[in-house]
Amino acid sequence: MTPLPPALESWFTRRGWAPRAHQLAMVEAAAAGHHALLIAPTGAGKTLAGFLPSLAALTARPREGLHTLYVSPLKALAADIARNLAAPIAEASLPISVETRTGDTSSDKKARQRAAPPNILLTTPESLALLLSYPQADTLFAGLESLIIDEIHAFAPSKRGDQLALAMARLQALAPRLRRTGLSATIPDPMPFQSWLAPDTDPESVRLITCAEGAAPDIEILVPEGRIPWSGHNGRWAAAAVMRRIEQARLAIVFVNTRAIAELVFRDLWAENESALPIGIHHGSLAPEARRKVEAAMAEGRLRAIVATASLDLGIDWGNVDLVIQMGAPKGASRLLQRTGRANHRLDEPSRALIVPGNRFEYLEALAAQDAVKAHDLDAEPFRPGSLDVLAQAIFARACAGPFCPHVLFAEVRSAAPYAGLKRAEFDAALDVIATGGYALRAYDRYRRLTPLPDGHYRLTHPRLAALHRLNAGTIVEAVTMSVRFGRRGRSLGQVEEWFGAQLRISDTFMFAGQTLEVTGFDGADILVKMGRGTPSVPTYVGGRMPLSTNLARRVRALLNSPERWPEMPPDVAEWLEIQRLRSVLPAPAGLLIETFPQNGRWFMVAYGFAGRPAHQTLGMLLTARMEKAGLQPMGFVASDYMVATWSLIEPTDLAPLFSPEILEDELAEWVAASPFLRRAFRETAIIGGLIERSQPGNQKTGKQLSVSSDLIYEVLRRHQPDHLLLTAAWNDARAKLTDLDRLAAMLEAAQTSLTHRRLPRVSPLAVPVLLEAGRESVPGQSADTALLLEAEALTRDAMRLD
């Protein structure tokens, strides 16, 4: 006997399937009224398991109105789930309606959904937050019984997770019988996620359901002609070999780490596509119509490959995909496993993946990721307190839905896991930001958005503020964009960032949506184009790079200290490590190795921190500031995920003071105040927190207008209210995201007990990759010529000489 209604049992039978144990366990947990966290490998029917309780309940007891809310991190995933749900509902003739609601949904359909919602609504955190901001939210969600959070690991430790946690708390208040479900394939430690999912953060209230592991993934590292380049990124050097692998596959997804690289890799592959195979491209800046067209072609088997970013790496189920290719290092074991799972989306068949390293350090990183996936040693992202700017936005949204009592709302907010430790003073400060703008801004009428009522409640000062909030809400602050369009009345291809578009002139060519386009004119925020030819420029996007995870960094250091593993590496990589050992020393599993050597009339200092690019960039800025004070005449620095290199006119000899942890106290505040980091972070928190609107009805601010508004408010608050909530939020963001100070602090603390200095006569083998990137950064205000052109062949020859 199964707990499924006969119609669903018959559907499984007709398919020749039987419900798996974890799928039935989900139905039983729901019948008992328990919240549930399901951790199951890709291909185990995880998403169907999440929906089975709802399908069973709605089949047994058909009803009108919203029963189940499904929240996805990706618009493409919501659309894919809708396609996959349609099969059992249609084939079993179930009386269930399903619709999606994302940023791509038309305004007419959104209005209709608020009045007459489907039984199952598939959405994103942003669209859910907007739904909750309408006055009819209490009636819309009153009968909600089930909330499904897919790919829960992608939400919990982020601002989107904070937004979703606050939305869950609001939903629980509107629908006390609501049952929460979380789904994931890549959670190393379930307990924190059970707490995050649970009402009132009690992990015991969330039943943990797991599934036996399926076939182990088959992950290969591509090494064409047995060699790996010294430097470079993203594996573009191997495009010909990658194209040959695509020819051998039924359907391949080629994953890259940024939107700009997606365009470049698509062009590289097309140049090697001698068989003219149909290849697509998919990333978040393409127009919704273009993305849907590619997704449909993929689902229908009309493509042989698709070049994609993270826009497709979560949960998409296309059964024909039999190969995933990761261009460049994956930066994390969990990300690699997630992407690998897009191939052979079945439990009993191994998913096949191919990693294409861009350089020798990326080869080590790929090998470390391969080892980590085999050991199921996944990356654990640390949880942190909820962001204060997101809290301010949620208070504004609550006011849009109707008058509220601050005491009741405070209790509701504290029931969300990220805000369980929130102090009443912090809540009141966030409320004051929305009500008056804060102490320093309360004299300005435009910031008086809430009006206190005699009974202690608050209401919106004016109804038009609700529309303004809905235009600007969200936790993802993208750069201001310009639309790319074929002529004045032609179709839109998508958006490029304004800073890139502003550099274009008529007749310039650039690559977008996999095509070479020529600029024919401009119409407001539209770039008008036609098909072009020649060598195009490529749009780049702010904030695209992902840092190396702590877990993989530890494993890369272990490989450097495991000479017994070197014979399995390509001969040039093994030789590189061996000569490094003979000429200098290899970085130990812990501590900090620093090499200094003369090169081209300058003194180089290379610190192997393995703390990720953001931490190393911060260290580079702080080191050059401290070196300037010490009279070493620094000229520049360059950072990678593995190390930071500085160069100066005077030799650094006393290294311990340069790397003292006090650098984070003495120089950091001074540097942050003078750098764009804090201003940039404040612009984001001010937008999220509602002090600055990106859009007004019929009008979108330019990037310059946003910067001017942000800088003016920043200066007012810095001078007159330095403890303003959004300045505090900006500093927290700068610390965690822009500068990664926690990893940097850990690295410097370790260096106090284990700092190894090697003074060399010339460049070492391990330093070559980062020096080949040198010259990209310079010391602010440095008048000396900081251009550093290092001839690659001579540099590598010097590094590998043993004399």
Side-chain angles (χ1 to χ4, degrees):
M1 293 292 292
T2 74
L4 297 178
L8 275 174
E9 282 196 57
S10 299
W11 177 75
F12 273 99
T13 302
R14 286 195 302 274
R15 284 287 186 113
W17 298 344
R20 297 181 187 272
H22 63 279
Q23 293 172 330
L24 295 177
M26 292 290 283
V27 178
E28 291 161 359
H34 292 143
H35 309 290
L37 173 63
L38 171 62
I39 303 176
T42 295
K46 179 171 69 269
T47 306
L48 179 59
F51 278 106
L52 263 185
S54 298
L55 297 179
L58 286 166
T59 301
R61 298 178 300 281
R63 48 162 278 194
E64 296 294 319
L66 186 59
H67 176 282
T68 295
L69 193 63
Y70 165 91
V71 181
S72 153
L74 300 176
K75 290 181 270 191
L77 180 53
D80 179 62
I81 296 299
R83 281 192 296 268
N84 291 334
L85 269 183
I89 289 172
E91 292 169 14
S93 301
L94 304 181
I96 299 171
S97 55
V98 180
E99 293 180 6
T100 61
R101 182 190 182 94
T102 69
D104 293 344
T105 306
S106 71
S107 56
D108 289 346
K109 186 175 182 180
K110 287 179 179 178
R112 196 259 304 153
Q113 287 173 340
R114 292 198 302 274
N119 297 135
I120 299 176
L121 184 64
L122 316 175
T123 190
T124 60
E126 293 77 17
S127 291
L128 172 57
L130 291 178
L131 266 178
L132 286 166
S133 75
Y134 284 93
Q136 57 265 54
D138 53 352
T139 54
L140 174 65
F141 294 111
L144 186 66
E145 295 186 31
S146 175
L147 173 67
I148 302 170
I149 311 296
D150 204 355
E151 309 293 354
I152 189 173
H153 59 273
F155 288 123
S158 68
K159 284 194 179 186
R160 291 184 89 199
D162 296 342
Q163 182 185 43
L164 182 53
L166 291 168
M168 286 197 294
R170 184 79 197 117
L171 288 172
Q172 203 77 47
L174 296 174
R177 294 175 53 247
L178 176 66
R179 192 177 51 80
R180 307 180 184 188
T181 298
L183 309 175
S184 179
T186 56
I187 290 179
D189 180 11
M191 182 72 78
F193 288 88
Q194 288 171 273
S195 295
W196 186 88
L197 184 63
D200 298 316
T201 71
D202 176 15
E204 297 298 324
S205 68
V206 176
R207 183 183 294 186
L208 178 64
I209 298 172
T210 58
C211 169
E213 289 296 322
D218 177 7
I219 300 174
E220 178 189 352
I221 302 173
L222 183 65
V223 187
E225 301 173 9
R227 64 179 188 87
I228 300 290
W230 281 93
S231 66
H233 299 282
N234 311 299
R236 293 178 56 208
W237 64 282
V242 170
M243 196 63 225
R244 302 295 83 80
R245 292 300 188 96
I246 290 173
E247 291 169 353
Q248 297 165 18
R250 286 197 312 268
L251 183 58
I253 301 180
V254 182
F255 279 116
V256 298
N257 291 338
T258 72
R259 288 168 282 180
I261 296 302
E263 298 283 354
L264 290 169
V265 167
F266 180 87
R267 183 179 67 178
D268 293 343
L269 293 178
W270 194 256
E272 302 290 344
N273 188 8
E274 297 169 356
S275 303
L277 300 179
I279 300 175
I281 183 170
H282 191 289
H283 59 72
S285 289
L286 298 179
E289 298 78 13
R291 293 197 305 270
R292 283 195 289 264
K293 184 178 178 181
V294 169
E295 290 162 20
M298 191 83 165
E300 294 164 12
R302 290 186 281 114
L303 292 179
R304 291 291 298 277
I306 182 170
V307 179
T309 60
S311 61
L312 286 185
D313 70 0
L314 292 170
I316 306 294
D317 179 9
W318 284 310
N320 289 332
V321 175
D322 62 341
L323 178 64
V324 161
I325 301 172
Q326 168 65 45
M327 301 295 286
K331 301 302 170 191
S334 295
R335 182 177 295 111
L336 176 62
L337 183 60
Q338 187 78 50
R339 291 181 168 182
T340 300
R342 301 311 96 207
N344 288 340
H345 204 89
R346 289 173 285 275
L347 187 64
D348 53 352
E349 293 184 23
S351 298
R352 285 199 309 132
L354 182 69
I355 308 175
V356 187
N359 59 54
R360 296 180 181 192
F361 269 110
E362 285 199 352
Y363 174 83
L364 296 176
E365 188 182 329
L367 186 57
Q370 189 182 48
D371 291 348
V373 169
K374 282 181 186 175
H376 209 70
D377 180 18
L378 304 181
D379 310 303
E381 289 198 54
F383 284 74
R384 81 283 180 278
S387 299
L388 299 175
D389 50 344
V390 177
L391 172 62
Q393 185 181 110
I395 293 172
F396 201 170
R398 178 64 188 86
C400 293
F404 67 92
C405 171
H407 307 300
V408 173
L409 183 56
F410 175 61
E412 180 182 301
V413 167
R414 294 246 307 178
S415 72
Y419 297 93
L422 184 75
K423 296 180 175 62
R424 182 58 194 253
E426 293 173 312
F427 174 84
D428 288 341
L431 176 60
D432 191 41
V433 166
I434 299 304
T436 70
Y439 168 76
L441 300 174
R442 66 177 66 241
Y444 301 92
D445 287 343
R446 61 172 301 184
Y447 298 114
R448 293 179 187 170
R449 292 165 294 183
L450 300 184
T451 298
L453 301 174
D455 62 359
H457 286 53
Y458 281 82
R459 65 165 176 81
L460 278 186
T461 300
H462 195 284
R464 63 176 170 76
L465 293 170
L468 201 58
H469 166 78
R470 294 179 191 118
L471 271 177
N472 292 279
T475 62
I476 302 173
V477 181
E478 298 277 10
V480 176
T481 59
M482 299 180 73
S483 293
V484 180
R485 186 179 299 278
F486 278 124
R488 294 183 187 278
R489 293 183 175 82
R491 65 185 175 92
S492 171
L493 294 173
Q495 297 82 36
V496 296
E497 292 185 1
E498 183 187 57
W499 71 268
F500 175 82
Q503 300 175 56
L504 296 173
R505 299 293 180 265
I506 291 175
S507 79
D508 284 355
T509 59
F510 65 101
M511 172 163 277
F512 189 71
Q515 305 167 91
T516 298
L517 305 174
E518 180 181 336
V519 178
T520 60
F522 298 88
D523 183 10
D526 290 349
I527 303 171
L528 308 181
V529 300
K530 65 179 182 180
M531 296 301 292
R533 60 181 59 189
T535 304
S537 57
V538 178
T540 57
Y541 301 85
V542 173
R545 277 180 167 165
M546 296 173 282
L548 175 70
S549 73
T550 303
N551 181 29
L552 280 197
R554 175 180 55 80
R555 283 183 168 273
V556 168
R557 295 178 81 135
L559 285 172
L560 291 172
N561 289 272
S562 303
E564 70 277 6
R565 297 285 306 274
W566 297 357
E568 67 188 77
M569 301 177 185
D572 57 351
V573 175
E575 181 190 27
W576 174 56
L577 299 181
E578 180 61 35
I579 294 181
Q580 171 71 21
R581 182 167 63 172
L582 293 172
R583 286 206 47 232
S584 176
V585 67
L586 288 156
L592 183 65
L593 168 65
I594 303 172
E595 294 176 331
T596 55
F597 49 83
Q599 191 79 27
N600 287 25
R602 292 149 170 103
W603 275 94
F604 282 80
M605 177 173 68
V606 182
Y608 300 89
F610 295 90
R613 186 182 298 270
H616 289 150
Q617 285 181 320
T618 302
L619 181 58
M621 294 295 291
L622 296 176
L623 276 176
T624 49
R626 187 165 274 193
M627 291 168 72
E628 187 71 43
K629 291 179 182 177
L632 298 176
Q633 300 181 43
M635 303 185 71
F637 77 93
V638 65
S640 73
D641 274 318
Y642 319 102
M643 66 195 83
V644 58
T646 67
W647 53 95
S648 58
L649 294 178
I650 307 297
E651 178 186 0
T653 54
D654 189 8
L655 303 189
L658 291 178
F659 289 86
S660 163
E662 282 72 36
I663 196 171
L664 298 182
E665 301 170 10
D666 300 343
E667 276 84 4
L668 185 65
E670 179 182 334
W671 169 66
V672 166
S675 78
F677 279 134
L678 193 55
R679 287 176 183 268
R680 189 190 313 161
F682 176 75
R683 184 163 65 246
E684 289 194 10
T685 59
I687 288 171
I688 293 171
L691 279 187
I692 299 172
E693 295 99 16
R694 287 172 287 187
S695 302
Q696 303 244 349
N699 180 39
Q700 177 149 335
K701 288 184 178 178
T702 65
K704 185 175 182 180
Q705 288 170 328
L706 281 175
S707 293
V708 169
S709 298
S710 172
D711 289 348
L712 285 172
I713 298 172
Y714 174 80
E715 288 300 331
V716 169
L717 296 182
R718 193 173 63 85
R719 292 173 186 170
H720 301 291
Q721 194 181 354
D723 61 346
H724 191 280
L725 178 102
L726 295 183
L727 278 181
T728 301
W731 172 247
N732 291 340
D733 277 6
R735 177 183 180 88
K737 182 172 64 175
L738 299 175
T739 57
D740 213 345
L741 288 188
D742 290 342
R743 288 181 76 175
L744 177 53
M747 180 183 80
L748 294 179
E749 284 295 335
Q752 296 314 292
T753 56
S754 181
L755 189 153
T756 302
H757 176 206
R758 286 290 185 271
R759 186 180 186 276
L760 305 175
R762 62 183 183 277
V763 62
S764 72
L766 235 55
V768 169
V770 76
L771 260 62
L772 290 176
E773 297 185 33
R776 296 184 180 184
E777 318 245 12
S778 61
V779 180
Q782 175 60 254
S783 59
D785 177 15
T786 56
L788 188 62
L789 301 175
L790 297 173
E791 205 274 317
E793 187 176 341
L795 190 69
T796 56
R797 187 171 57 246
D798 284 349
M800 299 296 282
R801 277 197 351 253
L802 283 175
D803 58 293

